[in-house]
Amino acid sequence: MKKAKKLLAVFLAAIMCFTMAAVALAGTENGSYTVSNPYADIDWSTVKQYKTALHSHTNASDGDPTLKESVQRHADTGFDIVATTDHGTVNYTWETVNENKFIHEMLSLIGRTEGELEYLGANGTFSNGISYSYAKAENGDDYLSLSNGKQILRLPYGIEQNALSANAHVNSWFTDYHDNSLTTYEDAISSIDRLGGICVINHPGEYTKARYELRAADAYNEKNAAYRYYINKYAYLLDKYDGCLGIDMNSKGDNRTRFDRILWDKLLTRFSAKGKNVYAIASSDAHQLNVIDTGFTMLLMNGLTSSEARKALENGTFFAASHCIGNPEELREIAAALKEFYGETATYEKVKATVDELDTRLADIESGKLAADSSLSVTYLVLEDGFSTADTFPAVGSVEIDETNDTITLNTSDALIVRWISDGKLIATTKADDAVLDLNEYADRLGNYVRAEVFGEGGILYTQAFLLNAEDNAAANGGKSEKFFDFGFIDCLFAIFKNWIDILGRKLARVC
């Protein structure tokens, strides 16, 4: 009897395994995925890619450079489009003085800004000897035309909102709006949306205090009530206001934002399940001249106009890009891939040296040799001198989607590896000259989206997310919105309090 039972159990187990295997194979047949490609309407044979600064500061608020110095530096580093986004100060022009006197005087009182405001005038000469003219074209856009043949578009109405708030910063463009009072995320975003502008949430790790975490596993961990609240908060704002496109997830030296790709993936996981996308930009958030080229966004446009720029931002037809990577886990994975594919090259050695230095610093913090509260603000860089000084930067020349064979292909240049991420997990790494992701091969690891990170000697470039079976997900879950109660300013105070409690806890743990 026992023997019969054992035989029956083996038989049933075999049947179950066969059935499960059949289901798995059926679920990964070619053509089983539909891919929503944000770049689907791009004609790669004619489109141009414009290097864009979406976030920069001058001494009209708390930046060091004058407007003229800032524009010259942007021109010298190859920018085609520049938005001047001073705190609480709508940018109307580069020709004459453009300031919010209240904000400028408030910042002057606390020593955050100094020097005379210097603007471009209708024409003039930069300190490098290049002359220029600045004028409004027939299409209504403002252009800076340089004697070396370069032309730069000024993005209209750039501003960093919530100047007096505790890091609840929002960058907006294309609408004439500001509020000098204490305002929340929703105050700014709702007004921008109502007036027809567009915006993104700046460096969220500053607000959530994720910048102070030592390990990626702790940043935006939803077991933590505070992080769960902040993720819900951002999801609520992005769901409610179409004018809010997404977040800035790599800015300046990637110190504050080094874990904000985790937040981006958390948001993408939620929204892709409803058939919706969340876009991400990169920027320099430059307050000093030497920071201006650390991060930027490449807009894919058919011409250098503000209407084309807005269209690219709204449709997700752009790439975020940065010379800096501050996330230790990302750097460790990149170093391992470089060694696997190319051996111990100079680029591998530089990235590995950064990882080794970072590991030493983290160990010293955790052992008490370094003070956590002073060492957490150190920026971890891809390469030397604040950012990569390579002559080239990775680029994507085209994106190909083959829904018959379920593949996504990136045609890249000046790149070494491509990292493919889904639901916040690295699912594959490919060489850049063979950047093909077979969705069926990774079916058991895929969520409802996949995005790519293209790494080269010059830095890293991020695609927007490719949604998988978005129409089906929208039909099943698109109407669902989670309930959320926003505590406004109270949550900022809570985050600050929590941060200092955590630091105190770590110090007490070392003493004990």
Side-chain angles (χ1 to χ4, degrees):
M1 186 68 177
K2 288 182 178 180
K3 189 174 181 180
K5 286 183 177 179
K6 286 183 179 179
L7 289 172
L8 180 60
V10 170
F11 177 76
L12 290 175
I15 292 294
M16 289 179 66
C17 289
F18 177 82
T19 303
M20 291 176 67
V23 170
L25 289 171
T28 57
E29 289 179 354
N30 288 357
S32 61
Y33 291 97
T34 58
V35 181
S36 295
N37 174 16
Y39 310 102
D41 295 331
I42 295 294
D43 183 342
W44 294 101
S45 66
T46 59
V47 74
K48 294 182 179 180
Q49 301 193 26
Y50 294 96
K51 186 175 181 179
T52 303
L54 292 170
H55 190 172
S56 64
H57 294 275
T58 75
N59 64 343
S61 62
D62 62 345
D64 292 344
T66 65
L67 184 281
K68 189 172 183 179
E69 291 170 336
S70 174
V71 172
Q72 178 183 333
R73 175 66 175 170
H74 280 97
D76 290 344
T77 49
F79 282 88
D80 304 294
I81 305 171
V82 176
T84 305
T85 55
D86 280 307
H87 294 277
T89 306
V90 179
N91 183 256
Y92 300 108
T93 180
W94 288 345
E95 183 174 0
T96 59
V97 173
N98 185 127
E99 66 174 321
N100 179 331
K101 289 186 177 180
F102 171 76
I103 295 296
H104 189 259
E105 290 174 4
M106 287 286 291
L107 292 171
S108 297
L109 287 174
I110 58 174
R112 295 293 298 276
T113 187
E114 58 183 24
E116 296 295 324
L117 302 181
E118 183 183 17
Y119 286 75
L120 299 182
N123 51 71
T125 303
F126 288 128
S127 62
N128 58 8
I130 295 177
S131 59
Y132 63 82
S133 62
Y134 174 76
K136 189 175 293 295
E138 290 184 4
N139 65 3
D141 288 334
D142 290 0
Y143 294 93
L144 181 71
S145 301
L146 282 67
S147 57
N148 62 5
K150 186 170 184 60
Q151 191 175 53
I152 297 177
L153 169 69
R154 181 188 69 85
L155 212 61
Y157 300 122
I159 178 177
E160 186 164 28
Q161 304 283 355
N162 295 350
L164 301 184
S165 301
N167 291 318
H169 292 168
V170 174
N171 254 35
S172 68
W173 314 273
F174 303 106
T175 189
D176 183 1
Y177 169 78
H178 78 281
D179 188 335
N180 285 344
S181 64
L182 288 169
T183 45
T184 67
Y185 276 124
E186 188 161 17
D187 291 332
I189 292 171
S190 62
S191 296
I192 294 159
D193 184 72
R194 174 175 52 83
L195 294 170
I198 57 175
C199 63
V200 298
I201 295 166
N202 288 343
H203 43 69
E206 182 85 32
Y207 190 79
T208 64
K209 305 304 174 186
R211 63 174 294 182
Y212 292 105
E213 297 291 357
L214 293 176
R215 305 289 180 181
D218 297 322
Y220 298 107
N221 187 331
E222 293 189 68
K223 293 180 180 178
N224 181 314
Y227 285 134
R228 188 164 63 250
Y229 169 82
Y230 288 122
I231 295 167
N232 290 338
K233 180 187 184 81
Y234 292 134
Y236 160 77
L237 292 169
L238 290 165
D239 195 40
K240 185 174 181 180
Y241 300 105
D242 292 337
C244 189
L245 306 179
I247 66 170
D248 157 25
M249 53 75 212
N250 187 324
S251 64
K252 203 170 288 188
D254 194 35
N255 174 28
R256 300 167 300 174
T257 54
R258 65 183 178 274
F259 295 129
D260 286 345
R261 267 86 72 193
I262 298 173
L263 172 62
W264 184 25
D265 282 315
K266 295 276 188 182
L267 293 169
L268 279 171
T269 299
R270 292 191 184 195
F271 278 81
S272 63
K274 300 190 291 186
K276 295 178 65 175
N277 214 330
V278 176
Y279 302 138
I281 70 162
S283 72
S284 70
D285 185 10
H287 291 69
Q288 298 82 29
L289 289 176
N290 65 351
V291 178
I292 278 175
D293 194 28
T294 50
F296 52 92
T297 301
M298 298 296 292
L299 301 186
L300 309 182
M301 300 159 49
N302 293 319
L304 188 58
T305 67
S306 62
S307 61
E308 278 287 305
R310 176 167 185 157
K311 177 182 174 183
L313 288 168
E314 290 180 322
N315 294 337
T317 50
F318 59 88
F319 304 113
S322 180
H323 292 287
C324 305
I325 300 176
N327 184 308
E329 282 74 10
E330 291 174 356
L331 285 170
R332 192 171 290 108
E333 292 167 350
I334 288 169
L338 290 173
K339 184 177 182 180
E340 178 186 351
F341 291 137
Y342 301 101
E344 296 181 2
T345 62
T347 300
Y348 161 76
E349 293 294 349
K350 289 180 179 179
V351 176
K352 184 178 182 298
T354 301
V355 173
D356 290 344
E357 181 182 353
L358 173 58
D359 285 341
T360 299
R361 183 176 296 277
L362 292 176
D364 286 346
I365 292 172
E366 290 176 337
S367 68
K369 291 181 180 179
L370 290 176
D373 53 347
S374 62
S375 300
L376 288 170
S377 62
V378 173
T379 298
Y380 308 118
L381 308 165
V382 178
L383 302 176
E384 55 193 285
D385 299 324
F387 55 92
S388 169
T389 54
D391 293 331
T392 61
F393 195 89
V396 173
S398 65
V399 177
E400 298 174 10
I401 307 294
D402 184 344
E403 289 193 349
T404 300
N405 295 304
D406 292 328
T407 60
I408 302 174
T409 301
L410 303 184
N411 295 303
T412 69
S413 59
D414 297 319
L416 295 170
I417 61 173
V418 176
R419 292 156 42 81
W420 302 88
I421 289 113
S422 183
D423 279 4
K425 298 175 183 177
L426 178 66
I427 63 169
T429 304
T430 59
K431 292 182 71 173
D433 59 3
D434 187 25
V436 181
L437 183 72
D438 185 333
L439 298 174
N440 293 311
E441 185 176 347
Y442 299 97
D444 61 335
R445 303 176 66 185
L446 284 172
N448 293 303
Y449 76 93
V450 63
R451 63 178 183 84
E453 299 180 353
V454 184
F455 178 85
E457 291 183 8
I460 192 160
L461 180 142
Y462 306 85
T463 71
Q464 300 309 309
F466 303 94
L467 303 188
L468 306 179
N469 301 324
E471 289 188 6
D472 292 342
N473 288 329
N477 306 309
K480 298 177 182 178
S481 296
E482 297 178 10
K483 293 182 179 180
F484 174 75
F485 179 78
D486 191 346
F487 287 96
F489 285 109
I490 297 175
D491 62 46
C492 180
L493 296 175
F494 175 76
I496 294 171
F497 176 76
K498 176 189 174 299
N499 173 58
W500 285 105
I501 289 296
D502 288 348
I503 290 173
L504 180 61
R506 287 195 292 268
K507 287 191 172 183
L508 289 174
R510 294 189 202 114
V511 173
C512 298

